[in-house]
PDB file of all heavy atoms in Angstrom:
ATOM      1  N   ARG A 330       0.295   5.685 -16.550  1.00 91.00           N
ATOM      2  CA  ARG A 330       1.483   4.764 -16.608  1.00 91.00           C
ATOM      3  C   ARG A 330       1.431   3.867 -15.353  1.00 91.00           C
ATOM      4  O   ARG A 330       0.986   4.296 -14.284  1.00 91.00           O
ATOM      5  CB  ARG A 330       2.824   5.480 -16.524  1.00 91.00           C
ATOM      6  CG  ARG A 330       3.094   6.192 -17.840  1.00 91.00           C
ATOM      7  CD  ARG A 330       4.603   6.624 -17.850  1.00 91.00           C
ATOM      8  NE  ARG A 330       5.029   7.225 -18.988  1.00 91.00           N
ATOM      9  CZ  ARG A 330       6.208   7.473 -19.553  1.00 91.00           C
ATOM     10  NH1 ARG A 330       7.176   7.149 -18.696  1.00 91.00           N
ATOM     11  NH2 ARG A 330       6.476   7.908 -20.641  1.00 91.00           N
ATOM     12  N   ARG A 331       1.926   2.571 -15.554  1.00 88.00           N
ATOM     13  CA  ARG A 331       2.018   1.639 -14.499  1.00 88.00           C
ATOM     14  C   ARG A 331       3.334   2.120 -13.680  1.00 88.00           C
ATOM     15  O   ARG A 331       4.224   2.743 -14.242  1.00 88.00           O
ATOM     16  CB  ARG A 331       2.199   0.342 -15.009  1.00 88.00           C
ATOM     17  CG  ARG A 331       0.998  -0.211 -15.793  1.00 88.00           C
ATOM     18  CD  ARG A 331       1.486  -1.671 -16.388  1.00 88.00           C
ATOM     19  NE  ARG A 331       0.291  -2.190 -17.066  1.00 88.00           N
ATOM     20  CZ  ARG A 331       0.072  -1.864 -18.497  1.00 88.00           C
ATOM     21  NH1 ARG A 331       0.849  -1.110 -19.150  1.00 88.00           N
ATOM     22  NH2 ARG A 331      -0.948  -2.427 -19.060  1.00 88.00           N
ATOM     23  N   GLY A 332       3.396   1.639 -12.531  1.00 91.00           N
ATOM     24  CA  GLY A 332       4.403   2.076 -11.626  1.00 91.00           C
ATOM     25  C   GLY A 332       4.616   1.188 -10.368  1.00 91.00           C
ATOM     26  O   GLY A 332       3.524   0.674  -9.917  1.00 91.00           O
ATOM     27  N   PHE A 333       5.773   1.050  -9.817  1.00 91.00           N
ATOM     28  CA  PHE A 333       5.920   0.311  -8.549  1.00 91.00           C
ATOM     29  C   PHE A 333       6.794   1.200  -7.460  1.00 91.00           C
ATOM     30  O   PHE A 333       7.435   2.174  -8.016  1.00 91.00           O
ATOM     31  CB  PHE A 333       6.575  -1.125  -8.637  1.00 91.00           C
ATOM     32  CG  PHE A 333       5.842  -2.030  -9.575  1.00 91.00           C
ATOM     33  CD1 PHE A 333       5.956  -2.220 -10.881  1.00 91.00           C
ATOM     34  CD2 PHE A 333       4.744  -2.707  -9.017  1.00 91.00           C
ATOM     35  CE1 PHE A 333       5.289  -3.161 -11.633  1.00 91.00           C
ATOM     36  CE2 PHE A 333       3.966  -3.552  -9.652  1.00 91.00           C
ATOM     37  CZ  PHE A 333       4.199  -3.794 -11.053  1.00 91.00           C
ATOM     38  N   ASP A 334       6.825   0.710  -6.390  1.00 95.00           N
ATOM     39  CA  ASP A 334       7.639   1.480  -5.304  1.00 95.00           C
ATOM     40  C   ASP A 334       9.053   1.755  -5.827  1.00 95.00           C
ATOM     41  O   ASP A 334       9.494   2.908  -5.819  1.00 95.00           O
ATOM     42  CB  ASP A 334       7.650   0.746  -4.119  1.00 95.00           C
ATOM     43  CG  ASP A 334       8.405   1.420  -2.826  1.00 95.00           C
ATOM     44  OD1 ASP A 334       9.549   1.805  -3.042  1.00 95.00           O
ATOM     45  OD2 ASP A 334       7.696   1.512  -1.787  1.00 95.00           O
ATOM     46  N   SER A 335       9.700   0.865  -6.309  1.00 94.00           N
ATOM     47  CA  SER A 335      11.103   1.101  -6.655  1.00 94.00           C
ATOM     48  C   SER A 335      11.264   2.006  -7.843  1.00 94.00           C
ATOM     49  O   SER A 335      12.225   2.784  -7.870  1.00 94.00           O
ATOM     50  CB  SER A 335      11.734  -0.303  -7.055  1.00 94.00           C
ATOM     51  OG  SER A 335      11.070  -0.802  -8.209  1.00 94.00           O
ATOM     52  N   LEU A 336      10.402   2.014  -8.761  1.00 96.00           N
ATOM     53  CA  LEU A 336      10.259   2.996  -9.781  1.00 96.00           C
ATOM     54  C   LEU A 336      10.163   4.396  -9.349  1.00 96.00           C
ATOM     55  O   LEU A 336      10.678   5.460  -9.889  1.00 96.00           O
ATOM     56  CB  LEU A 336       9.371   2.501 -10.848  1.00 96.00           C
ATOM     57  CG  LEU A 336       9.523   1.278 -11.544  1.00 96.00           C
ATOM     58  CD1 LEU A 336       8.454   0.779 -12.568  1.00 96.00           C
ATOM     59  CD2 LEU A 336      10.906   1.007 -12.208  1.00 96.00           C
ATOM     60  N   VAL A 337       9.194   4.484  -8.488  1.00 97.00           N
ATOM     61  CA  VAL A 337       8.884   5.914  -7.948  1.00 97.00           C
ATOM     62  C   VAL A 337      10.104   6.449  -7.040  1.00 97.00           C
ATOM     63  O   VAL A 337      10.369   7.610  -7.201  1.00 97.00           O
ATOM     64  CB  VAL A 337       7.560   5.771  -7.094  1.00 97.00           C
ATOM     65  CG1 VAL A 337       7.272   7.135  -6.397  1.00 97.00           C
ATOM     66  CG2 VAL A 337       6.298   5.364  -7.864  1.00 97.00           C
ATOM     67  N   GLN A 338      10.721   5.583  -6.403  1.00 97.00           N
ATOM     68  CA  GLN A 338      11.986   6.014  -5.807  1.00 97.00           C
ATOM     69  C   GLN A 338      12.979   6.510  -6.766  1.00 97.00           C
ATOM     70  O   GLN A 338      13.606   7.474  -6.461  1.00 97.00           O
ATOM     71  CB  GLN A 338      12.561   4.857  -4.961  1.00 97.00           C
ATOM     72  CG  GLN A 338      11.769   4.426  -3.649  1.00 97.00           C
ATOM     73  CD  GLN A 338      12.655   3.447  -2.891  1.00 97.00           C
ATOM     74  OE1 GLN A 338      13.794   3.547  -2.602  1.00 97.00           O
ATOM     75  NE2 GLN A 338      11.864   2.375  -2.258  1.00 97.00           N
ATOM     76  N   ALA A 339      13.035   5.819  -7.837  1.00 97.00           N
ATOM     77  CA  ALA A 339      14.014   6.239  -8.864  1.00 97.00           C
ATOM     78  C   ALA A 339      13.769   7.701  -9.484  1.00 97.00           C
ATOM     79  O   ALA A 339      14.563   8.451  -9.633  1.00 97.00           O
ATOM     80  CB  ALA A 339      14.159   5.121 -10.003  1.00 97.00           C
ATOM     81  N   ALA A 340      12.454   7.915  -9.766  1.00 97.00           N
ATOM     82  CA  ALA A 340      12.069   8.982 -10.536  1.00 97.00           C
ATOM     83  C   ALA A 340      12.002  10.213  -9.629  1.00 97.00           C
ATOM     84  O   ALA A 340      12.355  11.377 -10.121  1.00 97.00           O
ATOM     85  CB  ALA A 340      10.605   8.649 -11.072  1.00 97.00           C
ATOM     86  N   THR A 341      11.707  10.153  -8.397  1.00 97.00           N
ATOM     87  CA  THR A 341      11.399  11.211  -7.456  1.00 97.00           C
ATOM     88  C   THR A 341      12.625  11.681  -6.811  1.00 97.00           C
ATOM     89  O   THR A 341      12.540  12.697  -5.941  1.00 97.00           O
ATOM     90  CB  THR A 341      10.257  10.864  -6.555  1.00 97.00           C
ATOM     91  OG1 THR A 341      10.752   9.763  -5.628  1.00 97.00           O
ATOM     92  CG2 THR A 341       9.029  10.432  -7.230  1.00 97.00           C
ATOM     93  N   GLY A 342      13.839  11.186  -6.875  1.00 97.00           N
ATOM     94  CA  GLY A 342      14.953  11.732  -6.181  1.00 97.00           C
ATOM     95  C   GLY A 342      15.390  10.873  -5.030  1.00 97.00           C
ATOM     96  O   GLY A 342      16.411  11.102  -4.481  1.00 97.00           O
ATOM     97  N   ILE A 343      14.530   9.941  -4.620  1.00 97.00           N
ATOM     98  CA  ILE A 343      14.785   9.127  -3.377  1.00 97.00           C
ATOM     99  C   ILE A 343      15.971   8.291  -3.621  1.00 97.00           C
ATOM    100  O   ILE A 343      17.004   8.154  -2.766  1.00 97.00           O
ATOM    101  CB  ILE A 343      13.550   8.149  -3.005  1.00 97.00           C
ATOM    102  CG1 ILE A 343      12.476   9.194  -2.522  1.00 97.00           C
ATOM    103  CG2 ILE A 343      13.970   7.341  -1.961  1.00 97.00           C
ATOM    104  CD1 ILE A 343      11.090   8.437  -2.356  1.00 97.00           C
ATOM    105  N   ALA A 344      16.100   7.583  -4.804  1.00 97.00           N
ATOM    106  CA  ALA A 344      17.197   6.584  -4.949  1.00 97.00           C
ATOM    107  C   ALA A 344      18.487   7.410  -5.079  1.00 97.00           C
ATOM    108  O   ALA A 344      19.476   6.957  -4.664  1.00 97.00           O
ATOM    109  CB  ALA A 344      16.985   5.892  -6.215  1.00 97.00           C
ATOM    110  N   ALA A 345      18.489   8.730  -5.700  1.00 96.00           N
ATOM    111  CA  ALA A 345      19.693   9.455  -5.685  1.00 96.00           C
ATOM    112  C   ALA A 345      20.017   9.981  -4.368  1.00 96.00           C
ATOM    113  O   ALA A 345      21.282   9.960  -4.030  1.00 96.00           O
ATOM    114  CB  ALA A 345      19.335  10.708  -6.537  1.00 96.00           C
ATOM    115  N   ALA A 346      19.117  10.395  -3.501  1.00 96.00           N
ATOM    116  CA  ALA A 346      19.402  10.838  -2.250  1.00 96.00           C
ATOM    117  C   ALA A 346      20.036   9.710  -1.285  1.00 96.00           C
ATOM    118  O   ALA A 346      20.867   9.954  -0.412  1.00 96.00           O
ATOM    119  CB  ALA A 346      18.068  11.339  -1.479  1.00 96.00           C
ATOM    120  N   GLU A 347      19.569   8.457  -1.523  1.00 97.00           N
ATOM    121  CA  GLU A 347      19.977   7.407  -0.656  1.00 97.00           C
ATOM    122  C   GLU A 347      21.310   6.700  -1.233  1.00 97.00           C
ATOM    123  O   GLU A 347      21.740   5.751  -0.700  1.00 97.00           O
ATOM    124  CB  GLU A 347      18.810   6.298  -0.550  1.00 97.00           C
ATOM    125  CG  GLU A 347      17.730   6.853   0.439  1.00 97.00           C
ATOM    126  CD  GLU A 347      17.964   7.052   1.833  1.00 97.00           C
ATOM    127  OE1 GLU A 347      18.905   6.418   2.313  1.00 97.00           O
ATOM    128  OE2 GLU A 347      17.270   7.992   2.358  1.00 97.00           O
ATOM    129  N   GLY A 348      21.690   7.044  -2.453  1.00 96.00           N
ATOM    130  CA  GLY A 348      22.792   6.415  -3.025  1.00 96.00           C
ATOM    131  C   GLY A 348      24.048   7.370  -2.849  1.00 96.00           C
ATOM    132  O   GLY A 348      24.317   8.095  -1.994  1.00 96.00           O
ATOM    133  N   SER A 349      25.029   6.998  -3.819  1.00 93.00           N
ATOM    134  CA  SER A 349      26.245   7.672  -3.800  1.00 93.00           C
ATOM    135  C   SER A 349      26.640   8.115  -5.222  1.00 93.00           C
ATOM    136  O   SER A 349      25.744   7.907  -6.054  1.00 93.00           O
ATOM    137  CB  SER A 349      27.447   6.708  -3.260  1.00 93.00           C
ATOM    138  OG  SER A 349      27.475   5.716  -4.227  1.00 93.00           O
ATOM    139  N   ALA A 350      27.718   8.738  -5.329  1.00 86.00           N
ATOM    140  CA  ALA A 350      28.135   9.137  -6.660  1.00 86.00           C
ATOM    141  C   ALA A 350      28.407   7.934  -7.591  1.00 86.00           C
ATOM    142  O   ALA A 350      28.393   8.120  -8.799  1.00 86.00           O
ATOM    143  CB  ALA A 350      29.566  10.010  -6.578  1.00 86.00           C
ATOM    144  N   GLU A 351      28.723   6.881  -6.958  1.00 91.00           N
ATOM    145  CA  GLU A 351      29.003   5.631  -7.670  1.00 91.00           C
ATOM    146  C   GLU A 351      27.751   4.729  -8.192  1.00 91.00           C
ATOM    147  O   GLU A 351      27.709   4.331  -9.269  1.00 91.00           O
ATOM    148  CB  GLU A 351      29.841   4.636  -6.974  1.00 91.00           C
ATOM    149  CG  GLU A 351      31.325   5.209  -6.871  1.00 91.00           C
ATOM    150  CD  GLU A 351      31.391   6.247  -5.788  1.00 91.00           C
ATOM    151  OE1 GLU A 351      30.675   6.199  -4.828  1.00 91.00           O
ATOM    152  OE2 GLU A 351      32.328   7.201  -6.023  1.00 91.00           O
ATOM    153  N   ARG A 352      26.722   4.887  -7.273  1.00 95.00           N
ATOM    154  CA  ARG A 352      25.538   4.058  -7.607  1.00 95.00           C
ATOM    155  C   ARG A 352      24.323   4.586  -6.914  1.00 95.00           C
ATOM    156  O   ARG A 352      24.415   5.087  -5.621  1.00 95.00           O
ATOM    157  CB  ARG A 352      25.828   2.608  -7.076  1.00 95.00           C
ATOM    158  CG  ARG A 352      24.672   1.644  -7.450  1.00 95.00           C
ATOM    159  CD  ARG A 352      25.142   0.204  -7.248  1.00 95.00           C
ATOM    160  NE  ARG A 352      24.017  -0.791  -7.671  1.00 95.00           N
ATOM    161  CZ  ARG A 352      23.853  -1.115  -8.811  1.00 95.00           C
ATOM    162  NH1 ARG A 352      24.695  -0.729  -9.740  1.00 95.00           N
ATOM    163  NH2 ARG A 352      22.887  -1.995  -9.211  1.00 95.00           N
ATOM    164  N   PRO A 353      23.161   4.406  -7.505  1.00 97.00           N
ATOM    165  CA  PRO A 353      21.838   4.695  -6.672  1.00 97.00           C
ATOM    166  C   PRO A 353      21.593   3.934  -5.602  1.00 97.00           C
ATOM    167  O   PRO A 353      22.118   2.700  -5.448  1.00 97.00           O
ATOM    168  CB  PRO A 353      20.843   4.680  -7.759  1.00 97.00           C
ATOM    169  CG  PRO A 353      21.506   4.547  -9.200  1.00 97.00           C
ATOM    170  CD  PRO A 353      22.845   4.039  -8.977  1.00 97.00           C
TER     171      PRO A 353
END
Side-chain angles (χ1 to χ4, degrees):
R330 289 195 175 194
R331 299 173 180 87
F333 295 102
D334 182 305
S335 59
L336 301 178
V337 176
Q338 287 191 43
T341 59
I343 291 173
E347 293 293 334
S349 65
E351 290 74 32
R352 187 172 181 82

